[in-house]
mmCIF file of all heavy atoms in Angstrom:
data_model
loop_
_atom_site.group_PDB
_atom_site.id
_atom_site.type_symbol
_atom_site.label_atom_id
_atom_site.label_comp_id
_atom_site.label_asym_id
_atom_site.label_seq_id
_atom_site.Cartn_x
_atom_site.Cartn_y
_atom_site.Cartn_z
ATOM 1 N N ASP A 26 0.829 -1.207 0.000
ATOM 2 C CA ASP A 26 0.000 0.000 0.000
ATOM 3 C C ASP A 26 0.865 1.258 0.000
ATOM 4 O O ASP A 26 0.570 2.221 -0.736
ATOM 5 C CB ASP A 26 -0.912 0.018 1.236
ATOM 6 C CG ASP A 26 -2.052 -0.976 1.123
ATOM 7 O OD1 ASP A 26 -2.312 -1.460 0.001
ATOM 8 O OD2 ASP A 26 -2.671 -1.292 2.159
ATOM 9 N N PHE A 27 1.926 1.266 0.795
ATOM 10 C CA PHE A 27 2.772 2.454 0.866
ATOM 11 C C PHE A 27 3.486 2.690 -0.463
ATOM 12 O O PHE A 27 3.586 3.830 -0.929
ATOM 13 C CB PHE A 27 3.793 2.320 2.000
ATOM 14 C CG PHE A 27 4.584 3.572 2.229
ATOM 15 C CD1 PHE A 27 4.015 4.663 2.870
ATOM 16 C CD2 PHE A 27 5.899 3.672 1.796
ATOM 17 C CE1 PHE A 27 4.737 5.834 3.074
ATOM 18 C CE2 PHE A 27 6.629 4.833 1.988
ATOM 19 C CZ PHE A 27 6.044 5.914 2.631
ATOM 20 N N PHE A 28 3.952 1.627 -1.075
ATOM 21 C CA PHE A 28 4.650 1.772 -2.346
ATOM 22 C C PHE A 28 3.701 2.269 -3.435
ATOM 23 O O PHE A 28 4.009 3.215 -4.169
ATOM 24 C CB PHE A 28 5.276 0.437 -2.759
ATOM 25 C CG PHE A 28 6.142 0.542 -3.986
ATOM 26 C CD1 PHE A 28 7.445 0.991 -3.893
ATOM 27 C CD2 PHE A 28 5.634 0.206 -5.230
ATOM 28 C CE1 PHE A 28 8.240 1.101 -5.031
ATOM 29 C CE2 PHE A 28 6.418 0.315 -6.372
ATOM 30 C CZ PHE A 28 7.724 0.767 -6.270
ATOM 31 N N GLN A 29 2.541 1.648 -3.537
ATOM 32 C CA GLN A 29 1.592 2.011 -4.583
ATOM 33 C C GLN A 29 0.999 3.398 -4.368
ATOM 34 O O GLN A 29 0.957 4.225 -5.299
ATOM 35 C CB GLN A 29 0.463 0.976 -4.646
ATOM 36 C CG GLN A 29 0.886 -0.390 -5.163
ATOM 37 C CD GLN A 29 -0.273 -1.374 -5.168
ATOM 38 O OE1 GLN A 29 -1.212 -1.258 -4.374
ATOM 39 N NE2 GLN A 29 -0.218 -2.357 -6.055
ATOM 40 N N ASN A 30 0.539 3.668 -3.139
ATOM 41 C CA ASN A 30 -0.222 4.878 -2.885
ATOM 42 C C ASN A 30 0.644 6.113 -2.624
ATOM 43 O O ASN A 30 0.238 7.232 -2.969
ATOM 44 C CB ASN A 30 -1.161 4.667 -1.693
ATOM 45 C CG ASN A 30 -2.168 3.564 -1.947
ATOM 46 O OD1 ASN A 30 -2.544 3.301 -3.094
ATOM 47 N ND2 ASN A 30 -2.605 2.896 -0.886
ATOM 48 N N THR A 31 1.810 5.899 -2.009
ATOM 49 C CA THR A 31 2.651 7.042 -1.640
ATOM 50 C C THR A 31 3.842 7.204 -2.575
ATOM 51 O O THR A 31 3.978 8.237 -3.247
ATOM 52 C CB THR A 31 3.143 6.910 -0.184
ATOM 53 O OG1 THR A 31 2.003 6.904 0.686
ATOM 54 C CG2 THR A 31 4.055 8.057 0.194
ATOM 55 N N ILE A 32 4.693 6.203 -2.638
ATOM 56 C CA ILE A 32 5.922 6.334 -3.418
ATOM 57 C C ILE A 32 5.616 6.555 -4.892
ATOM 58 O O ILE A 32 6.207 7.427 -5.551
ATOM 59 C CB ILE A 32 6.829 5.100 -3.208
ATOM 60 C CG1 ILE A 32 7.306 5.062 -1.751
ATOM 61 C CG2 ILE A 32 8.023 5.135 -4.165
ATOM 62 C CD1 ILE A 32 8.140 3.850 -1.397
ATOM 63 N N VAL A 33 4.654 5.805 -5.419
ATOM 64 C CA VAL A 33 4.287 5.962 -6.829
ATOM 65 C C VAL A 33 3.136 6.956 -6.996
ATOM 66 O O VAL A 33 3.239 7.937 -7.741
ATOM 67 C CB VAL A 33 3.913 4.603 -7.447
ATOM 68 C CG1 VAL A 33 3.497 4.791 -8.912
ATOM 69 C CG2 VAL A 33 5.098 3.638 -7.358
ATOM 70 N N GLY A 34 2.037 6.713 -6.281
ATOM 71 C CA GLY A 34 0.843 7.525 -6.482
ATOM 72 C C GLY A 34 0.975 8.962 -6.022
ATOM 73 O O GLY A 34 0.548 9.892 -6.714
ATOM 74 N N LYS A 35 1.561 9.172 -4.850
ATOM 75 C CA LYS A 35 1.661 10.520 -4.281
ATOM 76 C C LYS A 35 2.835 11.308 -4.849
ATOM 77 O O LYS A 35 2.709 12.501 -5.148
ATOM 78 C CB LYS A 35 1.794 10.417 -2.754
ATOM 79 C CG LYS A 35 1.961 11.746 -2.023
ATOM 80 C CD LYS A 35 0.685 12.561 -2.032
ATOM 81 C CE LYS A 35 0.824 13.813 -1.181
ATOM 82 N NZ LYS A 35 -0.390 14.663 -1.255
ATOM 83 N N LEU A 36 3.984 10.628 -5.028
ATOM 84 C CA LEU A 36 5.194 11.338 -5.445
ATOM 85 C C LEU A 36 5.442 11.297 -6.947
ATOM 86 O O LEU A 36 6.091 12.173 -7.500
ATOM 87 C CB LEU A 36 6.416 10.766 -4.718
ATOM 88 C CG LEU A 36 6.431 10.896 -3.192
ATOM 89 C CD1 LEU A 36 7.691 10.240 -2.633
ATOM 90 C CD2 LEU A 36 6.363 12.347 -2.760
ATOM 91 N N GLY A 37 4.966 10.236 -7.607
ATOM 92 C CA GLY A 37 5.226 10.087 -9.028
ATOM 93 C C GLY A 37 6.551 9.408 -9.332
ATOM 94 O O GLY A 37 7.147 9.630 -10.401
ATOM 95 N N THR A 38 7.029 8.573 -8.422
ATOM 96 C CA THR A 38 8.350 7.963 -8.542
ATOM 97 C C THR A 38 8.451 7.029 -9.743
ATOM 98 O O THR A 38 7.583 6.201 -9.979
ATOM 99 C CB THR A 38 8.678 7.193 -7.248
ATOM 100 O OG1 THR A 38 8.645 8.111 -6.147
ATOM 101 C CG2 THR A 38 10.038 6.525 -7.327
ATOM 102 N N LYS A 39 9.576 7.174 -10.474
ATOM 103 C CA LYS A 39 9.857 6.307 -11.616
ATOM 104 C C LYS A 39 11.039 5.383 -11.354
ATOM 105 O O LYS A 39 11.257 4.416 -12.090
ATOM 106 C CB LYS A 39 10.148 7.152 -12.868
ATOM 107 C CG LYS A 39 8.914 7.808 -13.453
ATOM 108 C CD LYS A 39 7.937 6.749 -13.989
ATOM 109 C CE LYS A 39 6.707 7.379 -14.631
ATOM 110 N NZ LYS A 39 5.815 8.024 -13.644
ATOM 111 N N ALA A 40 11.841 5.684 -10.331
ATOM 112 C CA ALA A 40 13.000 4.854 -10.001
ATOM 113 C C ALA A 40 13.296 4.997 -8.512
ATOM 114 O O ALA A 40 12.991 6.018 -7.897
ATOM 115 C CB ALA A 40 14.216 5.263 -10.830
ATOM 116 N N MET A 41 13.902 3.937 -7.948
ATOM 117 C CA MET A 41 14.311 3.968 -6.540
ATOM 118 C C MET A 41 15.722 3.417 -6.413
ATOM 119 O O MET A 41 16.132 2.529 -7.161
ATOM 120 C CB MET A 41 13.367 3.136 -5.666
ATOM 121 C CG MET A 41 12.027 3.786 -5.369
ATOM 122 S SD MET A 41 11.154 2.915 -4.028
ATOM 123 C CE MET A 41 12.060 3.469 -2.583
ATOM 124 N N VAL A 42 16.440 3.952 -5.451
ATOM 125 C CA VAL A 42 17.734 3.412 -5.044
ATOM 126 C C VAL A 42 17.608 3.065 -3.564
ATOM 127 O O VAL A 42 17.186 3.899 -2.760
ATOM 128 C CB VAL A 42 18.864 4.436 -5.259
ATOM 129 C CG1 VAL A 42 20.172 3.914 -4.686
ATOM 130 C CG2 VAL A 42 19.021 4.757 -6.735
ATOM 131 N N VAL A 43 17.946 1.824 -3.207
ATOM 132 C CA VAL A 43 17.772 1.375 -1.830
ATOM 133 C C VAL A 43 19.041 0.689 -1.345
ATOM 134 O O VAL A 43 19.841 0.188 -2.136
ATOM 135 C CB VAL A 43 16.572 0.409 -1.688
ATOM 136 C CG1 VAL A 43 15.272 1.100 -2.077
ATOM 137 C CG2 VAL A 43 16.779 -0.854 -2.519
ATOM 138 N N GLY A 44 19.218 0.643 -0.014
ATOM 139 C CA GLY A 44 20.357 -0.028 0.583
ATOM 140 C C GLY A 44 20.145 -1.523 0.665
ATOM 141 O O GLY A 44 19.021 -2.023 0.546
ATOM 142 N N PHE A 45 21.225 -2.246 0.920
ATOM 143 C CA PHE A 45 21.168 -3.708 0.942
ATOM 144 C C PHE A 45 20.281 -4.238 2.062
ATOM 145 O O PHE A 45 19.686 -5.308 1.947
ATOM 146 C CB PHE A 45 22.585 -4.283 1.095
ATOM 147 C CG PHE A 45 23.154 -4.146 2.484
ATOM 148 C CD1 PHE A 45 23.159 -5.221 3.352
ATOM 149 C CD2 PHE A 45 23.674 -2.941 2.929
ATOM 150 C CE1 PHE A 45 23.682 -5.095 4.632
ATOM 151 C CE2 PHE A 45 24.203 -2.808 4.195
ATOM 152 C CZ PHE A 45 24.206 -3.883 5.055
ATOM 153 N N ASN A 46 20.184 -3.494 3.164
ATOM 154 C CA ASN A 46 19.361 -3.937 4.296
ATOM 155 C C ASN A 46 18.070 -3.147 4.401
ATOM 156 O O ASN A 46 17.441 -3.077 5.448
ATOM 157 C CB ASN A 46 20.143 -3.810 5.603
ATOM 158 C CG ASN A 46 20.592 -2.382 5.875
ATOM 159 O OD1 ASN A 46 20.484 -1.513 5.008
ATOM 160 N ND2 ASN A 46 21.104 -2.137 7.067
ATOM 161 N N HIS A 47 17.667 -2.555 3.276
ATOM 162 C CA HIS A 47 16.456 -1.731 3.234
ATOM 163 C C HIS A 47 15.215 -2.574 3.498
ATOM 164 O O HIS A 47 15.062 -3.677 2.962
ATOM 165 C CB HIS A 47 16.361 -1.090 1.841
ATOM 166 C CG HIS A 47 15.081 -0.374 1.584
ATOM 167 N ND1 HIS A 47 14.885 0.946 1.931
ATOM 168 C CD2 HIS A 47 13.924 -0.786 1.007
ATOM 169 C CE1 HIS A 47 13.664 1.307 1.570
ATOM 170 N NE2 HIS A 47 13.072 0.285 1.014
ATOM 171 N N ALA A 48 14.314 -2.054 4.316
ATOM 172 C CA ALA A 48 13.028 -2.711 4.550
ATOM 173 C C ALA A 48 12.065 -1.687 5.141
ATOM 174 O O ALA A 48 12.459 -0.846 5.945
ATOM 175 C CB ALA A 48 13.177 -3.896 5.496
ATOM 176 N N PHE A 49 10.804 -1.756 4.738
ATOM 177 C CA PHE A 49 9.803 -0.826 5.264
ATOM 178 C C PHE A 49 8.456 -1.500 5.263
ATOM 179 O O PHE A 49 8.281 -2.609 4.756
ATOM 180 C CB PHE A 49 9.772 0.467 4.430
ATOM 181 C CG PHE A 49 9.272 0.282 3.018
ATOM 182 C CD1 PHE A 49 7.948 0.544 2.695
ATOM 183 C CD2 PHE A 49 10.123 -0.158 2.011
ATOM 184 C CE1 PHE A 49 7.484 0.372 1.400
ATOM 185 C CE2 PHE A 49 9.672 -0.323 0.712
ATOM 186 C CZ PHE A 49 8.347 -0.059 0.409
ATOM 187 N N GLY A 50 7.476 -0.821 5.823
ATOM 188 C CA GLY A 50 6.126 -1.359 5.892
ATOM 189 C C GLY A 50 5.934 -2.265 7.096
ATOM 190 O O GLY A 50 6.861 -2.539 7.858
ATOM 191 N N LYS A 51 4.718 -2.708 7.295
ATOM 192 C CA LYS A 51 4.373 -3.556 8.427
ATOM 193 C C LYS A 51 5.284 -4.773 8.488
ATOM 194 O O LYS A 51 5.506 -5.454 7.486
ATOM 195 C CB LYS A 51 2.912 -3.999 8.308
ATOM 196 C CG LYS A 51 2.419 -4.802 9.503
ATOM 197 C CD LYS A 51 0.956 -5.169 9.347
ATOM 198 C CE LYS A 51 0.457 -5.969 10.535
ATOM 199 N NZ LYS A 51 -0.986 -6.324 10.382
ATOM 200 N N ASN A 52 5.878 -4.990 9.671
ATOM 201 C CA ASN A 52 6.802 -6.109 9.904
ATOM 202 C C ASN A 52 8.028 -6.054 8.995
ATOM 203 O O ASN A 52 8.685 -7.068 8.769
ATOM 204 C CB ASN A 52 6.090 -7.456 9.735
ATOM 205 C CG ASN A 52 4.940 -7.635 10.687
ATOM 206 O OD1 ASN A 52 5.004 -7.200 11.835
ATOM 207 N ND2 ASN A 52 3.861 -8.241 10.212
ATOM 208 N N ARG A 53 8.318 -4.885 8.457
ATOM 209 C CA ARG A 53 9.498 -4.685 7.598
ATOM 210 C C ARG A 53 9.516 -5.680 6.428
ATOM 211 O O ARG A 53 10.552 -6.202 6.019
ATOM 212 C CB ARG A 53 10.787 -4.814 8.425
ATOM 213 C CG ARG A 53 10.976 -3.670 9.410
ATOM 214 C CD ARG A 53 12.235 -3.841 10.249
ATOM 215 N NE ARG A 53 13.438 -3.974 9.433
ATOM 216 C CZ ARG A 53 14.119 -2.964 8.918
ATOM 217 N NH1 ARG A 53 13.692 -1.718 9.125
ATOM 218 N NH2 ARG A 53 15.205 -3.162 8.210
ATOM 219 N N GLU A 54 8.352 -5.899 5.851
ATOM 220 C CA GLU A 54 8.252 -6.870 4.759
ATOM 221 C C GLU A 54 8.716 -6.306 3.419
ATOM 222 O O GLU A 54 8.988 -7.059 2.483
ATOM 223 C CB GLU A 54 6.808 -7.369 4.644
ATOM 224 C CG GLU A 54 6.355 -8.179 5.853
ATOM 225 C CD GLU A 54 4.876 -8.530 5.795
ATOM 226 O OE1 GLU A 54 4.159 -7.903 4.981
ATOM 227 O OE2 GLU A 54 4.442 -9.394 6.568
ATOM 228 N N GLY A 55 8.792 -4.981 3.307
ATOM 229 C CA GLY A 55 9.162 -4.369 2.031
ATOM 230 C C GLY A 55 10.653 -4.285 1.833
ATOM 231 O O GLY A 55 11.228 -3.186 1.745
ATOM 232 N N ASP A 56 11.327 -5.439 1.745
ATOM 233 C CA ASP A 56 12.770 -5.431 1.515
ATOM 234 C C ASP A 56 13.059 -5.327 0.020
ATOM 235 O O ASP A 56 12.156 -5.271 -0.818
ATOM 236 C CB ASP A 56 13.422 -6.675 2.113
ATOM 237 C CG ASP A 56 12.822 -7.976 1.580
ATOM 238 O OD1 ASP A 56 12.193 -7.967 0.501
ATOM 239 O OD2 ASP A 56 12.987 -9.015 2.245
ATOM 240 N N ALA A 57 14.353 -5.306 -0.314
ATOM 241 C CA ALA A 57 14.749 -5.091 -1.703
ATOM 242 C C ALA A 57 14.208 -6.173 -2.632
ATOM 243 O O ALA A 57 13.797 -5.892 -3.767
ATOM 244 C CB ALA A 57 16.272 -5.018 -1.797
ATOM 245 N N GLU A 58 14.219 -7.408 -2.190
ATOM 246 C CA GLU A 58 13.746 -8.505 -3.044
ATOM 247 C C GLU A 58 12.261 -8.379 -3.354
ATOM 248 O O GLU A 58 11.829 -8.593 -4.486
ATOM 249 C CB GLU A 58 14.049 -9.853 -2.374
ATOM 250 C CG GLU A 58 15.530 -10.182 -2.308
ATOM 251 C CD GLU A 58 16.213 -10.075 -3.675
ATOM 252 O OE1 GLU A 58 15.679 -10.647 -4.649
ATOM 253 O OE2 GLU A 58 17.254 -9.420 -3.770
ATOM 254 N N HIS A 59 11.467 -8.027 -2.340
ATOM 255 C CA HIS A 59 10.036 -7.842 -2.595
ATOM 256 C C HIS A 59 9.793 -6.650 -3.519
ATOM 257 O O HIS A 59 8.917 -6.682 -4.384
ATOM 258 C CB HIS A 59 9.278 -7.641 -1.279
ATOM 259 C CG HIS A 59 9.035 -8.914 -0.523
ATOM 260 N ND1 HIS A 59 9.846 -9.356 0.477
ATOM 261 C CD2 HIS A 59 8.054 -9.856 -0.656
ATOM 262 C CE1 HIS A 59 9.396 -10.508 0.953
ATOM 263 N NE2 HIS A 59 8.305 -10.835 0.286
ATOM 264 N N LEU A 60 10.589 -5.579 -3.313
ATOM 265 C CA LEU A 60 10.434 -4.407 -4.172
ATOM 266 C C LEU A 60 10.760 -4.728 -5.623
ATOM 267 O O LEU A 60 10.095 -4.249 -6.548
ATOM 268 C CB LEU A 60 11.341 -3.274 -3.689
ATOM 269 C CG LEU A 60 10.809 -2.365 -2.578
ATOM 270 C CD1 LEU A 60 11.803 -1.251 -2.309
ATOM 271 C CD2 LEU A 60 9.447 -1.785 -2.935
ATOM 272 N N LYS A 61 11.782 -5.535 -5.837
ATOM 273 C CA LYS A 61 12.177 -5.884 -7.205
ATOM 274 C C LYS A 61 11.086 -6.679 -7.926
ATOM 275 O O LYS A 61 11.001 -6.663 -9.159
ATOM 276 C CB LYS A 61 13.474 -6.690 -7.180
ATOM 277 C CG LYS A 61 14.697 -5.862 -6.811
ATOM 278 C CD LYS A 61 15.937 -6.732 -6.699
ATOM 279 C CE LYS A 61 17.147 -5.928 -6.246
ATOM 280 N NZ LYS A 61 18.349 -6.775 -6.057
ATOM 281 N N GLN A 62 10.249 -7.371 -7.165
ATOM 282 C CA GLN A 62 9.124 -8.096 -7.754
ATOM 283 C C GLN A 62 7.931 -7.178 -8.003
ATOM 284 O O GLN A 62 7.246 -7.301 -9.026
ATOM 285 C CB GLN A 62 8.700 -9.242 -6.819
ATOM 286 C CG GLN A 62 9.770 -10.298 -6.608
ATOM 287 C CD GLN A 62 9.376 -11.320 -5.564
ATOM 288 O OE1 GLN A 62 8.195 -11.543 -5.309
ATOM 289 N NE2 GLN A 62 10.361 -11.938 -4.931
#
């Protein structure tokens, strides 16, 4: 929800750069591997 509604929907993001241990969202489920999918 945060990626779709805020990062893309609210900001208009076309690209992201993230760290190797990046994770966000409930229970930190939004790590780099999930984002790449």
Side-chain angles (χ1 to χ4, degrees):
D26 286 345
F27 187 75
F28 186 81
Q29 291 179 333
N30 299 332
T31 298
I32 294 177
V33 179
K35 178 71 174 176
L36 298 178
T38 301
K39 287 294 182 290
M41 284 193 75
V42 174
V43 298
F45 75 101
N46 59 350
H47 172 87
F49 67 97
K51 185 178 180 180
N52 300 323
R53 291 178 57 83
E54 294 173 345
D56 56 20
E58 291 308 311
H59 282 96
L60 275 184
K61 289 176 184 177
Q62 297 173 25

